[in-house]
Each structure stands twice: as structure tokens, then as C-alpha cells.
């Protein structure tokens, strides 16, 4: 149950970063920051929550990361 909650937080955390990323030129500094700034936040969330570094957590959290980035970008492109 804890992993589901953490993955939901990761998804929600990445929505604004995906929104920001969608408005930048690919591989620019802004794009790089929009993709990489959430990573230390997610590592901190992992440490604080105590879910550890088990292999089963990686695909779930990576999927939530990319889904949040994708949904944030879709929100940006559909608002125009």
C-alpha cells in the first residue's frame, strides 16, 4: 500500500515539471532541469518513506515518473 501511495505522489510531483518541460526546447537547460530536478526529490521521498531500494519498486516509480512527465506535457499542449 505504501508503494502505491509513493507512486501517486511521484506522479503528482512530476505534473508541473512535465508542464514546464513541454514549453521548453528539447535538450535545452530548461528541459534538462525539468527532467532532472524531481529526481533528488524522489530519492528523498524514498528515504523518508522507508520503501527502500528493492528491485520491484524501480519499474513502478520510474513508470510513475514518466507518466507524470507525460501527463504534465499533455496538459500544457492541450491548453493552447
Amino acid at each position: 500500500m505504501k508503494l502505491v501511495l509513493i507512486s501517486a505522489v511521484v506522479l503528482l510531483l512530476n505534473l508541473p515539471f512535465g508542464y514546464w518541460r513541454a514549453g521548453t526546447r528539447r535538450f535545452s537547460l530548461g528541459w534538462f532541469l525539468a527532467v532532472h530536478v524531481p529526481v533528488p526529490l524522489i530519492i528523498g521521498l524514498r528515504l523518508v518513506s522507508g520503501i527502500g531500494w528493492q528491485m520491484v519498486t524501480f519499474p513502478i516509480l520510474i513508470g510513475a515518473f514518466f507518466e507524470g512527465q507525460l501527463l504534465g506535457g499533455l496538459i500544457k499542449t492541450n491548453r493552447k
Side-chain angles (χ1 to χ4, degrees):
M1 188 65 180
K2 190 186 288 190
L3 183 58
V4 173
L5 179 63
I6 297 302
S7 63
V9 171
V10 167
L11 187 143
L12 291 173
L13 176 72
N14 273 288
L15 284 175
F17 289 103
Y19 188 90
W20 175 27
R21 179 190 50 80
T24 62
R25 188 172 44 87
R26 192 169 182 156
F27 301 118
S28 65
L29 178 61
W31 182 89
F32 183 82
L33 290 174
V35 171
H36 291 91
V37 165
V39 172
L41 301 174
I42 294 167
I43 291 171
L45 188 62
R46 252 184 195 278
L47 295 173
V48 169
S49 70
I51 63 169
W53 300 96
Q54 300 168 353
M55 288 304 290
V56 71
T57 64
F58 284 96
I60 295 168
L61 293 183
I62 290 170
F65 181 92
F66 285 115
E67 188 174 348
Q69 287 277 328
L70 177 68
L71 289 174
L74 288 173
I75 291 168
K76 172 81 172 191
T77 56
N78 289 331
R79 287 192 75 165
K80 290 183 177 180

